[in-house]
Structures are given as C-alpha cells and as structure tokens.
Amino acid sequence: MKLGELLMHRADLAKRLGQVEARLKEAVMVQEGDEPDGDPTELLVELNALYDQMGDVVSSINVTNATATMADGVPLAEALLRRNLLGKRIKSYQQVIGAASTSSVSRYSRNEIKFVKTVDLPALQRHVDGLSKQHRDLDVEIQQQNWEIEVN
C-alpha cells in the first residue's frame, strides 16, 4: 500500500468517527416514548473499533514518515516539519500585513491620534509570496512522495 492511500484511509476514518460520534450523541438522549436512531451500545462498539483502526493507521503513517526519505535524501518527517513551519510563518506574516493594511482607523478631526505604518507592506508581501512558493513547491514534492512510498 502506498502512503497516499493510507493517508486517504486516515481521512476516511476521521470522517466516519465524526459521523458515529454525532449519531451517538443523538442516541443517548431521546424524548420519552421515542426510540433512538441507533443502539448506543452498538454505536460505542463501532466507535471503539474505529479508534482502534485509527491508532493502527496513524502508527503506520508515523513509522513510514520517520523512515522514508524525499527524492533528495531529506527525511520525510523533516520535510513535513518544514512545510508545517512554512505554513505557520506565512500565516503570521499575513496577520502582520492585515494589521498594517487596516484602513478602518479614521480620524474625525486633526486633533485626533494619527496612526502610521511602521513596516514596508510591499516588501512584506513579496516575502510572503516567496514563502508561499516554497510551501507550494515542497507540498507538491511531499504529495508526489506520498504516492511513491510503500508503507511497511
């Protein structure tokens, strides 16, 4: 099985877990005289089985990520970390740009406080654009590896 298939299976399990949890919440309390849509005991058994499957899948993914390498020899786990940090860095820069480009601060008279930007917005945006390109390129490489790496 390819790592990409296993990642898709994990996403499917997560979706199914959410559905069973929602059904379980509805089944544990019903109006007097009504019947639940599902047996809570059976739903709990199904929930536990899905969590057991999820544990096995995530464990296999983690082992594979720890042992696999990218095409350039970089460990897959390191590439994943780098991609995640790039995403967080981009988000932080976007928040700074958003705060500095807010034009909602207005003055009603010359006596009110005037706010001025303390950063070069075009330079920050160019930096974010570069980071975003790195993120996209790395994500493409990781996705490609996901469909080439065999899970042990």
Side-chain angles (χ1 to χ4, degrees):
M1 174 183 282
K2 300 291 184 187
L3 180 56
E5 293 173 283
L6 196 57
L7 292 168
M8 288 175 59
H9 184 54
R10 178 185 65 183
D12 181 54
L13 283 172
K15 184 177 178 180
R16 287 175 46 206
L17 276 164
Q19 292 168 343
V20 171
E21 287 172 347
R23 287 174 44 214
L24 188 55
K25 285 179 187 176
E26 294 294 321
V28 295
M29 183 81 70
V30 294
Q31 187 173 351
E32 187 176 6
D34 286 351
E35 291 293 320
D37 288 335
D39 179 9
T41 304
E42 289 176 13
L43 289 170
L44 283 169
V45 168
E46 184 178 355
L47 184 75
N48 285 318
L50 287 170
Y51 272 115
D52 290 343
Q53 288 178 42
M54 181 66 88
D56 293 342
V57 167
V58 170
S59 179
S60 293
I61 290 169
N62 289 344
V63 167
T64 302
N65 287 346
T67 58
T69 58
M70 299 291 288
D72 60 2
V74 171
L76 179 57
E78 186 176 321
L80 292 168
L81 173 64
R82 184 165 178 249
R83 181 186 64 182
N84 290 343
L85 289 175
L86 276 168
K88 290 177 186 292
R89 187 174 298 188
I90 290 165
K91 184 177 178 181
S92 292
Y93 271 90
Q94 288 171 334
Q95 289 174 350
V96 169
I97 290 169
S101 61
T102 300
S103 58
S104 63
V105 179
S106 58
R107 295 179 356 173
Y108 295 101
S109 72
R110 293 177 100 18
N111 295 336
E112 292 186 44
I113 298 171
K114 180 179 180 181
F115 290 91
V116 295
K117 293 176 179 72
T118 60
V119 295
D120 181 357
L121 284 178
L124 278 178
Q125 187 59 58
R126 284 190 301 275
H127 186 68
V128 169
D129 292 345
L131 291 174
S132 295
K133 181 179 182 338
Q134 289 176 32
H135 186 272
R136 284 189 308 274
D137 292 346
L138 183 56
D139 188 54
V140 167
E141 289 178 47
I142 289 170
Q143 296 303 323
Q144 181 180 1
Q145 287 302 112
N146 286 345
W147 292 103
E148 294 176 4
I149 295 171
E150 287 288 336
V151 176
N152 300 331

